Amino acid sequence: MGVGHKHAGTVLAERYTQLACAAVVFGHHGGLPDPERLRDKLHKGRPGGSEDARVQEAIRAVEGIVPEIHRLSRIDLPGWLLGLPWREQGLGLDLLVRMLFSCVVDADYLDTSAHFEGAAVRVGERADMAALVERYEARRKRYLAGRESSPVDALRQSVYERACRAAADEPGVYVLQVPTGGAKTMAAGAFALRHAAQHGKRQVVLAVPFISITEQNAAVYRDLLDPEDAGGGPAVVLEHHSAVDLDVEEAGFG
């Protein structure tokens, strides 16, 4: 739109939520701003500021279509965040802001694409977790059949089976403590997919501390989950980290 929607959204977000949430709105085109820059932009968008007129124009353009942009009260932070010990709330808020930022950026890209294509917003189909469990298990068995046996294979199988059984339990925090070489990657993937299928989860997110490990795990999960030919449907695994080459159309997991 030809009005200052970014500044207007930032002013409204700060008014009804938190300064950190206003950063999400302001940064959805160019990245999250630092607090000093954000406060400066908010000052310009408030009454008397250099962006005030454009902010009010944008608000008037939207409020007739989406009156919900005006609220009677502020929006509280989610209960899970407020329930954290105060020393952990800063980290929790940081995680929340980054997740919100990711959602807003994705939504903006999808909406812009739909606008220029003159079509409805296209989103991926919901993953069939039960079908992915079957694919994962079949390819794992094929992989094991094609490799040399090892003295620790029985222990690896035990770890795998215990992880699969645990997937039927209620959602919560689970710890898999297995030494190097214990096939944690496969066991963790099996647990995650089965747990998602059991409890109606839509996605599995794997976060690891090093890019090298991310790339290794992504390669394993692509082999176990992605279609084996171009006509087999969309890629299942999305790899995302700072070393990904965005000019190469290659899926991954991250």
Side-chain angles (χ1 to χ4, degrees):
M1 58 189 300
V3 292
H5 71 285
K6 182 172 72 171
H7 282 83
T10 303
V11 168
L12 290 173
E14 193 273 336
R15 180 184 302 169
Y16 295 121
T17 58
Q18 303 283 327
L19 182 66
C21 296
V24 170
V25 178
F26 185 82
H28 74 282
H29 283 174
L32 290 170
D34 61 72
E36 182 177 350
R37 180 171 180 238
L38 179 60
R39 291 188 179 92
D40 176 65
K41 297 299 182 181
L42 280 169
H43 178 73
K44 292 179 179 180
R46 291 182 177 128
S50 59
E51 294 289 335
D52 178 33
R54 299 182 71 230
V55 165
Q56 296 308 315
E57 180 186 4
I59 291 175
R60 287 192 298 270
V62 175
E63 62 188 1
I65 304 172
V66 189
E68 292 84 1
I69 65 172
H70 296 295
R71 297 181 53 85
L72 297 177
S73 60
R74 293 176 63 85
I75 301 173
D76 292 332
L77 291 172
W80 64 263
L81 177 58
L82 296 176
L84 292 174
W86 71 270
R87 293 180 181 274
E88 299 177 12
Q89 288 186 6
L91 180 61
L93 179 61
D94 182 69
L95 176 62
L96 174 63
V97 167
R98 292 176 185 277
M99 292 298 293
L100 287 174
F101 179 70
S102 177
C103 292
V104 170
V105 171
D106 284 350
D108 187 62
Y109 270 100
L110 289 171
D111 188 63
T112 301
S113 175
H115 170 76
F116 284 106
E117 291 177 359
V121 173
R122 293 182 293 109
V123 296
E125 296 182 2
R126 182 165 182 166
D128 185 342
M129 290 297 179
L132 290 179
V133 169
E134 294 182 5
R135 181 186 297 178
Y136 191 93
E137 188 65 26
R139 292 190 186 176
R140 174 180 175 270
K141 289 180 179 178
R142 186 176 67 188
Y143 164 77
L144 293 178
R147 62 185 292 273
E148 294 184 4
S149 60
S150 167
V152 298
D153 280 348
L155 291 174
R156 289 170 175 165
Q157 183 63 25
S158 175
V159 169
Y160 189 86
E161 292 174 355
R162 293 179 65 180
C164 291
R165 289 196 298 270
D169 295 339
E170 291 300 312
V173 178
Y174 292 80
V175 178
L176 178 62
Q177 294 180 322
V178 180
T180 300
K184 292 188 295 296
T185 299
M186 285 192 175
F191 167 85
L193 289 173
R194 283 169 168 76
H195 198 66
Q198 176 75 25
H199 300 287
K201 304 298 183 181
R202 299 178 60 182
Q203 294 178 319
V204 172
V205 179
L206 173 69
V208 296
F210 302 108
I211 291 177
S212 59
I213 301 177
T214 302
E215 292 174 331
Q216 292 170 12
N217 288 353
V220 171
Y221 291 130
R222 275 196 294 270
D223 288 342
L224 292 169
L225 291 170
D226 273 358
E228 294 182 311
D229 55 75
V236 175
V237 180
L238 172 64
E239 182 178 346
H240 179 70
H241 52 73
S242 60
V244 168
D245 186 351
L246 297 179
D247 293 327
V248 178
E249 294 185 2
E250 181 176 321
F253 194 165

